[in-house]
Amino acid sequence: MAGAVAWRATPANDEDFVELRHFRYFVTLAQTLHFGRAAQALDIAAPTLTVQIQDIERDLGVQLFVRSRRDVRLTPAGEMFLLEARQVLAQAERAVLAGQRAGRGETGRVEIGYAGSAVFSGVLQSQLATFRQAWPGVIVTAREVPQGELPMMLIENRIDIALLRMPMNLHTRHRAHVLFRDSFCVALPAGHALATPAGAVDADALENERFIVPEQPLGTYEVARRGGFTPVGTTTPGSLVAVLSQVALGEGVAIVPDVLVGATAIPGVVFKPLAGPPIHSEISAVFRSFEPSLAVSRLIAQITQTPAITSYALFDRAE
């Protein structure tokens, strides 16, 4: 830390200033009030310390110590200067530690953008809880964002990691790691004719329905393909909660991830399995291939070491 400018002593001469080492010399002498012991603690010669203290007093234009053959005492100006000098040294130490901790990835900031599925599946909560316990000095913020905006937010560095439902077109500079796998089911208004009978719903039985389409339309389009029809009257209200709200109000049906079956309880919505092979979907964490931030890299490392959770059995498909 020697040589770092910590405090400007006088504006009269740009070469006249107190350096950080001067603060250490002064505080050590003020604590011992003995040039010999202070010099020994500082590992310098006593005459050198005397010269350094004289330099400080000359730069400040005040006397800090009263010296006699018997003792050394602080002047009123020295007592006041001691209070401030201790704060300067403490702040310098904090700055050094802050830089070192940031360099080790122990502090910093991580911005996460996520689609609602990441919360309903529990993968976001799990990842944040684990990371915050391991790295409490890192500030992690997470916010729900429309899924279609997440890739561009990554490109523009407005977020560091995105949690979204695949498939999704990604930039070549981005990588993805699957954290959760589930399947699609159909959400029906409680009074719908298909809501009461037991068993799975055939795709062709939905041909004449009005579809409320979530942000990830994969399930809707696959059901339409299997049923041999084109979805009609579709609306895309946004989040999964908004989709289910429209279903509850009788505005249509929706093909949604079956993780919602156990994660939501919106009155007026009935979830039913889809007949035929499951239509699988995945929640993935997406991040930059090259990440300059060590704090972000630590979270990415944690994510990539996490095996995907598979949840395909929310319905008895033998119904």
Side-chain angles (χ1 to χ4, degrees), residues 41-318:
L42 292 165
D43 197 25
I44 61 174
T48 300
L49 177 60
T50 299
V51 172
Q52 295 295 327
I53 296 300
Q54 291 172 344
D55 287 345
I56 299 172
E57 291 177 322
R58 184 185 63 250
D59 290 343
L60 294 179
V62 297
Q63 187 176 357
L64 299 174
F65 295 97
V66 176
R67 305 157 177 88
S68 70
R69 299 188 64 174
R70 300 183 61 180
D71 62 4
V72 177
R73 290 180 290 109
L74 283 167
T75 65
E79 291 176 354
M80 184 60 68
F81 188 63
L82 178 60
L83 295 175
E84 299 296 332
R86 282 172 169 161
Q87 293 185 32
V88 168
L89 291 176
Q91 180 58 47
E93 182 65 21
R94 286 194 293 270
V96 170
L97 292 176
Q100 291 173 336
R101 293 187 66 198
R104 294 192 297 264
E106 296 174 5
T107 61
R109 191 177 190 93
V110 182
E111 298 281 350
I112 298 175
Y114 65 90
S117 292
V119 171
F120 290 123
S121 65
V123 294
L124 178 58
Q125 300 93 307
S126 175
Q127 289 294 326
L128 292 192
T130 301
F131 186 76
R132 284 169 173 158
Q133 183 175 8
W135 306 102
V138 178
I139 299 173
V140 183
T141 59
R143 54 188 166 127
E144 184 174 2
V145 177
Q147 172 155 301
E149 298 178 16
L150 288 170
M152 183 54 66
M153 292 180 72
L154 268 176
I155 291 173
E156 296 175 350
N157 296 323
R158 288 186 286 155
I159 58 173
D160 301 305
I161 299 173
L163 270 71
L164 47 79
R165 186 167 286 275
M166 301 293 276
M168 174 73 71
N169 291 327
L170 302 177
H171 195 280
T172 54
R173 293 197 300 267
H174 295 159
R175 292 189 296 131
H177 178 78
V178 178
L179 288 169
F180 188 85
R181 294 185 176 95
D182 59 359
S183 302
F184 285 97
C185 65
V186 59
L188 303 161
H192 195 283
L194 296 174
T196 303
V201 175
D202 290 317
D204 56 10
L206 299 170
E207 180 176 1
N208 297 316
E209 299 294 335
R210 184 172 185 268
F211 282 86
I212 314 297
V213 183
E215 293 177 296
Q216 176 50 268
L218 169 68
T220 304
Y221 294 147
E222 177 59 18
V223 166
R225 187 195 68 79
R226 292 182 181 187
F229 62 87
T230 300
V232 296
T234 60
T235 61
T236 53
S239 70
L240 288 172
V241 172
V243 169
L244 294 182
S245 297
Q246 292 292 299
V247 173
L249 294 173
E251 298 295 327
V253 303
I255 307 302
V256 296
D258 61 11
V259 70
L260 295 178
V261 177
T264 60
I266 296 180
V269 177
V270 174
F271 297 98
K272 300 281 288 184
L274 291 163
I279 305 171
H280 295 322
S281 183
E282 299 174 338
I283 297 172
S284 293
V286 181
F287 39 85
R288 291 178 282 270
S289 299
F290 173 76
E291 177 51 59
S293 166
L294 187 52
V296 177
S297 295
R298 291 194 185 282
L299 180 52
I300 291 173
Q302 173 188 298
I303 288 171
T304 55
Q305 293 167 12
T306 304
I309 299 171
T310 299
S311 177
Y312 291 156
L314 292 175
F315 293 105
D316 180 4
R317 298 192 181 276

